Amino acid sequence: MATPRITVLAGDGIGPEIVASALEVLNQIGDFEFDHHEFGGCSIDSTGVALTDETLAACRDSDAVLLGAVGGPKWDTTDPDAPRPEQGLLGLRSGLGLFANLRPVKPLAALADASPLRPEVIGGCDLLVVRELTGGIYFGKRGREGDSAFDTCEYTVEEIERIARVAFRSARSGVTSVDKANVLETSRLWRETVVALHEREFPEVKLDHLLVDNAAMQLVSEPTAFDVILTENLFGDILSDEAAMITGSIGLLPSASLGLDGPGVFEPVHGSAPDIAGTGKANPYATLLSVAMMLRHGLEMPEHATAVESAVDSAIADGVRTADLGGAATTDDATQAVLQRLNS
Ligand code: IPM
Ligand code: MG
């Protein structure tokens, strides 16, 4: 097989540090070609936009995209005309047609004490948030008129069906579709479409529905009741941060953003943590777990994916914890611990 080509978008804040850790691990696994591009705030500084056409074209041309994190106080603004680092993320998602965002949440037994929830509540939790990523209020018409502002949420049957298929295919014990069908018209279409698709194509999968406010509550009261959570863009954004805390730290959550074909984007769920950038303290585990998702979903190297996941689990179980996990390990300590375990 030809050497996989990976576009690397390290981004801002701790992005370059956690991506450096990921590249060390990839270099140990095999031969990869890395093509680095500026993205987010640093790209705004040098080109005026968060994602240039050239960078998007490079991503399209590669086998997978590895992303660090974007943003920071330097680029925070409420000026609707000013460029924002997040526009890079949204441009990448729509430009590559990445409608399916997968965010697995599986707390490690070794970190039970790091979770704000009691061990008996989280024991056995193993869920996947399947978030629609290129529709809804994130991409609807928005604007300002005088002293009012608006954002619109739209979904089509086709958009709902394609993300629902991803959820049904990922299910082990069942799918919980989350909406706000008691209030929103898009949610009523969502529920209707999911029910019809379920009957037509996936009658053997268990399906239930929750309103998003109730889902937010159930997620912390009984997280083990969930297998796959299927939801729209904005609800998925919020619920996936909430679900992340079940593990004790958002520093452990990986994600994959996939389209129908073409390269996917693999990135940690956490942000650019500008407050600790450059201190060497950033937790690289979520990025390493995103590398595992890239190996599994993007490069068809599932054995290597499992090896990286086991190495991360074992490093954490052996107490190699970064500050966010209550330890004193540096980014490099954590990286070396994973490399060592990959070797043995
Ligand atoms: C995420 C992030 C992004 C989102 C932001 C940075 C635009 O929160 O990937 O969850 O809202 O989708
Ligand atoms: Mg988010």
Side-chain angles (χ1 to χ4, degrees):
M1 167 180 160
T3 309
R5 294 214 346 251
I6 300 173
T7 303
V8 181
L9 309 175
D12 310 312
I14 60 170
E17 299 160 58
I18 53 180
V19 161
S21 163
L23 299 190
E24 273 192 66
V25 166
L26 280 164
N27 277 328
Q28 172 143 330
I29 288 174
D31 261 348
F32 299 92
E33 197 183 307
F34 301 120
D35 181 21
H36 295 261
H37 286 265
E38 282 185 333
F39 181 68
C42 57
S43 173
I44 291 176
D45 288 349
S46 61
T47 69
V49 291
L51 170 66
T52 64
D53 293 343
E54 186 211 334
T55 299
L56 180 60
C59 291
R60 234 182 233 129
D61 237 28
S62 57
D63 295 306
V65 179
L66 178 66
L67 178 64
V70 295
K74 183 175 176 196
W75 304 282
D76 270 346
T77 167
T78 55
D79 175 356
D81 298 322
R84 299 181 56 91
E86 292 81 4
Q87 288 164 344
L89 272 182
L90 301 181
L92 198 60
R93 289 170 184 173
S94 66
L96 297 178
L98 308 174
F99 65 88
N101 183 228
L102 312 184
R103 298 184 167 185
V105 177
K106 191 175 174 183
L108 298 177
L111 281 178
D113 61 326
S115 174
L117 301 178
R118 288 192 309 276
E120 65 270 27
V121 175
I122 64 168
C125 167
D126 181 3
L127 63 85
L128 175 71
V129 179
V130 175
R131 169 187 175 192
E132 200 290 324
L133 203 60
T134 50
I137 201 163
Y138 272 64
F139 291 92
K141 277 198 205 74
R142 75 192 68 226
R144 296 206 184 197
E145 276 156 16
D147 55 6
S148 77
F150 63 94
D151 296 276
T152 49
C153 181
E154 283 184 47
Y155 268 109
T156 65
V157 167
E158 191 195 341
E159 285 174 317
I160 301 167
E161 284 183 342
R162 67 183 182 181
I163 189 68
R165 274 192 195 99
V166 173
F168 285 124
R169 287 187 190 127
S170 312
R172 289 152 305 175
S173 62
V175 170
T176 304
S177 175
V178 173
D179 60 39
K180 188 71 186 171
N182 54 346
V183 177
L184 302 176
E185 203 50 49
T186 40
S187 279
R188 287 191 273 269
L189 180 70
W190 182 280
R191 195 175 284 214
E192 218 172 87
T193 306
V194 170
V195 166
L197 181 83
H198 174 251
E199 272 172 26
R200 256 193 347 264
E201 296 181 22
F202 302 93
E204 71 289 356
V205 180
K206 191 169 150 277
L207 169 67
D208 50 24
H209 305 271
L210 280 183
L211 297 173
V212 62
D213 47 348
N214 188 13
M217 186 178 76
Q218 305 275 343
L219 204 47
V220 287
S221 62
E222 205 191 347
T224 53
F226 293 96
D227 176 21
V228 170
I229 297 178
L230 159 66
T231 192
E232 61 129 278
N233 207 342
L234 181 62
F235 299 159
D237 178 47
I238 299 167
L239 292 180
S240 61
D241 268 30
E242 189 192 2
M245 272 320 286
I246 298 170
T247 65
S249 171
I250 197 166
L252 292 175
L253 270 267
S255 79
S257 303
L258 309 170
L260 280 180
D261 43 34
V265 171
F266 303 87
E267 60 174 317
V269 170
H270 64 71
S272 60
D275 51 320
I276 59 160
T279 64
K281 288 187 188 153
N283 175 352
Y285 290 133
T287 312
L288 298 180
L289 294 170
S290 303
V291 163
M293 290 191 89
M294 177 169 86
L295 293 164
R296 178 175 295 117
H297 298 284
L299 302 174
E300 288 168 52
M301 299 170 74
E303 296 86 14
H304 290 97
T306 309
V308 172
E309 285 161 351
S310 311
V312 169
D313 283 7
S314 127
I316 295 172
D318 292 344
V320 187
R321 295 188 183 198
T322 44
D324 57 307
L325 301 174
T330 62
T331 312
D332 191 51
D333 295 336
T335 309
Q336 297 314 317
V338 170
L339 288 172
Q340 251 170 37
R341 284 159 180 80
L342 267 178
N343 265 338
S344 58

